[in-house]
Amino acid sequence: MDLPDIDASAWAELETAAVDPQSGFRYLNLCSVDTEKRPQARMIVLRAADRSARRLEFHTDTRSPKWLELSATPHVTVLGFSAESRLQLRLQGKVELHGPGSGAAGTAWDRLPARTRMTYAGGPPGDERAFETIGVAAPADEAEGKARFGLLIFRASTLDWFQLRQQDNRRALFSYDETGALSSRRWVNP
Ligand SMILES: Cc1cc2nc3c(=O)[nH]c(=O)nc-3n(C[C@H](O)[C@H](O)[C@H](O)COP(=O)(O)O)c2cc1C
């Protein structure tokens, strides 16, 4: 495969992962820096991918620490590994935050299944929870969840593609311009 084909296949895998829960890139690591410049990382579900815009979408609770971190510093790394294709994808770029009340968050919310909406109905992520409430279904109001729901739109500026092989690992770097067009590509030593 030549470099443009490798880039296209990496994005095709991401598009597949957004609709296939079994895909290796369904759960990605979203890495940010906090307000004290310390690295932070967490797994996140890939909700949508668009190869032409080099865009990924994620959902989160706007009460979570990451929302504040990303508001202050939108530069992130998105890291994934698929055991099936033995590929590591390391993307760098920026996130746009679409909070409750925004059209984009409203549209994403409307598409969510009821059980997923309920994940936004509990207390603030990271706050202490009384042991007695664990496993007990609390009465939940969907509208409350909507008021906490946030959409993160990530736009990649670079992709570091790494294929783990028995011998001769391969690695290539790609850059994208603001429109998402491939602006540079090269093989590098793994
Ligand atoms: C497999 C997996 C998928 C997850 N998906 C999401 C997700 O889509 N959105 C989200 O906000 N948190 C998700 N989480 C929880 C986060 O990893 C994290 O624990 C939580 O969001 C709090 O992160 P923060 O304290 O950095 O804000 C997921 C966790 C796991 C294990």
Side-chain angles (χ1 to χ4, degrees), residues 101-126:
S102 67
T107 306
W109 176 264
D110 290 342
R111 293 200 187 114
L112 285 186
R115 65 172 190 287
T116 309
R117 290 181 178 178
M118 295 319 275
T119 50
Y120 297 88

Short mmCIF file of all heavy atoms in Angstrom, two decimals, residues 101-126:
data_model
loop_
_atom_site.label_atom_id
_atom_site.label_comp_id
_atom_site.label_asym_id
_atom_site.label_seq_id
_atom_site.Cartn_x
_atom_site.Cartn_y
_atom_site.Cartn_z
N GLY A 101 -27.79 22.97 25.12
CA GLY A 101 -28.44 24.13 24.54
C GLY A 101 -27.95 24.41 23.12
O GLY A 101 -28.61 25.11 22.36
N SER A 102 -26.78 23.87 22.75
CA SER A 102 -26.29 24.09 21.39
C SER A 102 -27.04 23.16 20.43
O SER A 102 -27.46 22.06 20.82
CB SER A 102 -24.78 23.84 21.31
OG SER A 102 -24.51 22.47 21.51
N GLY A 103 -27.16 23.61 19.19
CA GLY A 103 -27.87 22.79 18.19
C GLY A 103 -27.19 21.45 17.97
O GLY A 103 -27.85 20.41 17.87
N ALA A 104 -25.84 21.47 17.93
CA ALA A 104 -25.10 20.23 17.64
C ALA A 104 -25.29 19.21 18.77
O ALA A 104 -25.48 18.02 18.51
CB ALA A 104 -23.62 20.55 17.45
N ALA A 105 -25.26 19.68 20.02
CA ALA A 105 -25.46 18.75 21.15
C ALA A 105 -26.90 18.23 21.15
O ALA A 105 -27.14 17.04 21.41
CB ALA A 105 -25.13 19.43 22.47
N GLY A 106 -27.84 19.11 20.82
CA GLY A 106 -29.26 18.70 20.78
C GLY A 106 -29.50 17.61 19.75
O GLY A 106 -30.20 16.63 20.01
N THR A 107 -28.89 17.77 18.58
CA THR A 107 -29.06 16.77 17.52
C THR A 107 -28.45 15.43 17.94
O THR A 107 -29.06 14.37 17.75
CB THR A 107 -28.37 17.26 16.22
OG1 THR A 107 -28.88 18.55 15.92
CG2 THR A 107 -28.59 16.33 15.06
N ALA A 108 -27.25 15.49 18.55
CA ALA A 108 -26.60 14.24 19.00
C ALA A 108 -27.44 13.58 20.09
O ALA A 108 -27.60 12.35 20.10
CB ALA A 108 -25.18 14.55 19.49
N TRP A 109 -27.97 14.37 20.99
CA TRP A 109 -28.80 13.83 22.09
C TRP A 109 -30.03 13.12 21.53
O TRP A 109 -30.39 12.03 21.97
CB TRP A 109 -29.22 14.96 23.03
CG TRP A 109 -30.14 14.53 24.12
CD1 TRP A 109 -31.50 14.62 24.11
CD2 TRP A 109 -29.78 13.90 25.37
NE1 TRP A 109 -32.02 14.10 25.28
CE2 TRP A 109 -30.99 13.66 26.07
CE3 TRP A 109 -28.56 13.53 25.95
CZ2 TRP A 109 -31.00 13.06 27.32
CZ3 TRP A 109 -28.58 12.94 27.21
CH2 TRP A 109 -29.79 12.70 27.87
N ASP A 110 -30.67 13.75 20.54
CA ASP A 110 -31.90 13.18 19.97
C ASP A 110 -31.65 11.80 19.36
O ASP A 110 -32.55 10.98 19.28
CB ASP A 110 -32.49 14.11 18.90
CG ASP A 110 -33.06 15.38 19.52
OD1 ASP A 110 -33.30 15.37 20.76
OD2 ASP A 110 -33.23 16.38 18.80
N ARG A 111 -30.41 11.54 18.94
CA ARG A 111 -30.08 10.25 18.31
C ARG A 111 -29.70 9.18 19.33
O ARG A 111 -29.51 8.02 18.95
CB ARG A 111 -28.90 10.42 17.35
CG ARG A 111 -29.23 11.28 16.15
CD ARG A 111 -28.23 11.01 15.02
NE ARG A 111 -28.44 11.95 13.95
CZ ARG A 111 -27.56 12.88 13.58
NH1 ARG A 111 -26.39 12.96 14.18
NH2 ARG A 111 -27.83 13.70 12.60
N LEU A 112 -29.55 9.56 20.59
CA LEU A 112 -29.09 8.58 21.59
C LEU A 112 -30.20 7.64 22.03
O LEU A 112 -31.32 8.08 22.28
CB LEU A 112 -28.58 9.30 22.85
CG LEU A 112 -27.24 9.99 22.80
CD1 LEU A 112 -26.88 10.52 24.18
CD2 LEU A 112 -26.16 9.05 22.31
N PRO A 113 -29.88 6.35 22.19
CA PRO A 113 -30.87 5.44 22.76
C PRO A 113 -31.12 5.78 24.23
O PRO A 113 -30.25 6.36 24.90
CB PRO A 113 -30.22 4.06 22.63
CG PRO A 113 -28.82 4.26 22.21
CD PRO A 113 -28.62 5.69 21.81
N ALA A 114 -32.32 5.42 24.71
CA ALA A 114 -32.73 5.79 26.08
C ALA A 114 -31.72 5.32 27.13
O ALA A 114 -31.41 6.05 28.07
CB ALA A 114 -34.11 5.22 26.36
N ARG A 115 -31.18 4.10 26.94
CA ARG A 115 -30.27 3.59 27.99
C ARG A 115 -28.99 4.42 28.06
O ARG A 115 -28.40 4.60 29.12
CB ARG A 115 -29.96 2.10 27.77
CG ARG A 115 -29.20 1.80 26.53
CD ARG A 115 -28.74 0.36 26.41
NE ARG A 115 -27.83 0.24 25.29
CZ ARG A 115 -28.21 0.29 24.01
NH1 ARG A 115 -29.48 0.42 23.70
NH2 ARG A 115 -27.32 0.22 23.04
N THR A 116 -28.55 4.94 26.91
CA THR A 116 -27.34 5.78 26.91
C THR A 116 -27.64 7.14 27.55
O THR A 116 -26.82 7.69 28.28
CB THR A 116 -26.83 5.97 25.47
OG1 THR A 116 -26.73 4.68 24.87
CG2 THR A 116 -25.47 6.63 25.44
N ARG A 117 -28.86 7.64 27.30
CA ARG A 117 -29.24 8.92 27.92
C ARG A 117 -29.18 8.83 29.44
O ARG A 117 -28.85 9.80 30.12
CB ARG A 117 -30.65 9.31 27.50
CG ARG A 117 -30.73 9.71 26.06
CD ARG A 117 -32.13 10.09 25.71
NE ARG A 117 -32.21 10.51 24.32
CZ ARG A 117 -33.33 10.87 23.73
NH1 ARG A 117 -34.46 10.88 24.38
NH2 ARG A 117 -33.32 11.24 22.47
N MET A 118 -29.50 7.63 29.95
CA MET A 118 -29.54 7.49 31.41
C MET A 118 -28.16 7.62 32.05
O MET A 118 -28.05 7.90 33.24
CB MET A 118 -30.14 6.12 31.79
CG MET A 118 -31.59 5.96 31.39
SD MET A 118 -32.58 7.44 31.68
CE MET A 118 -32.99 7.18 33.37
N THR A 119 -27.08 7.45 31.25
CA THR A 119 -25.74 7.60 31.86
C THR A 119 -25.48 9.04 32.29
O THR A 119 -24.54 9.30 33.03
CB THR A 119 -24.61 7.14 30.89
OG1 THR A 119 -24.81 7.77 29.64
CG2 THR A 119 -24.57 5.65 30.70
N TYR A 120 -26.31 9.96 31.81
CA TYR A 120 -26.12 11.38 32.18
C TYR A 120 -27.06 11.79 33.31
O TYR A 120 -27.07 12.95 33.71
CB TYR A 120 -26.34 12.27 30.94
CG TYR A 120 -25.31 11.97 29.87
CD1 TYR A 120 -25.54 10.99 28.91
CD2 TYR A 120 -24.09 12.63 29.86
CE1 TYR A 120 -24.58 10.67 27.96
CE2 TYR A 120 -23.12 12.32 28.91
CZ TYR A 120 -23.38 11.35 27.96
OH TYR A 120 -22.43 11.05 27.03
N ALA A 121 -27.83 10.82 33.81
CA ALA A 121 -28.86 11.16 34.80
C ALA A 121 -28.34 11.13 36.24
O ALA A 121 -28.99 11.66 37.14
CB ALA A 121 -30.05 10.20 34.65
N GLY A 122 -27.17 10.54 36.49
CA GLY A 122 -26.68 10.41 37.86
C GLY A 122 -26.00 11.68 38.37
O GLY A 122 -26.11 12.75 37.77
N GLY A 123 -25.28 11.53 39.48
CA GLY A 123 -24.58 12.66 40.07
C GLY A 123 -23.35 13.05 39.25
O GLY A 123 -22.98 12.35 38.31
N PRO A 124 -22.70 14.17 39.59
CA PRO A 124 -21.54 14.63 38.83
C PRO A 124 -20.41 13.60 38.81
O PRO A 124 -20.06 13.07 39.86
CB PRO A 124 -21.10 15.89 39.58
CG PRO A 124 -22.28 16.32 40.36
CD PRO A 124 -23.04 15.07 40.71
N PRO A 125 -19.83 13.30 37.63
CA PRO A 125 -18.74 12.33 37.54
C PRO A 125 -17.58 12.71 38.46
O PRO A 125 -17.15 13.86 38.48
CB PRO A 125 -18.31 12.41 36.07
CG PRO A 125 -19.49 12.96 35.35
CD PRO A 125 -20.19 13.87 36.31
N GLY A 126 -17.12 11.75 39.25
CA GLY A 126 -15.97 11.98 40.13
C GLY A 126 -16.36 12.40 41.53
O GLY A 126 -15.53 12.34 42.44
#
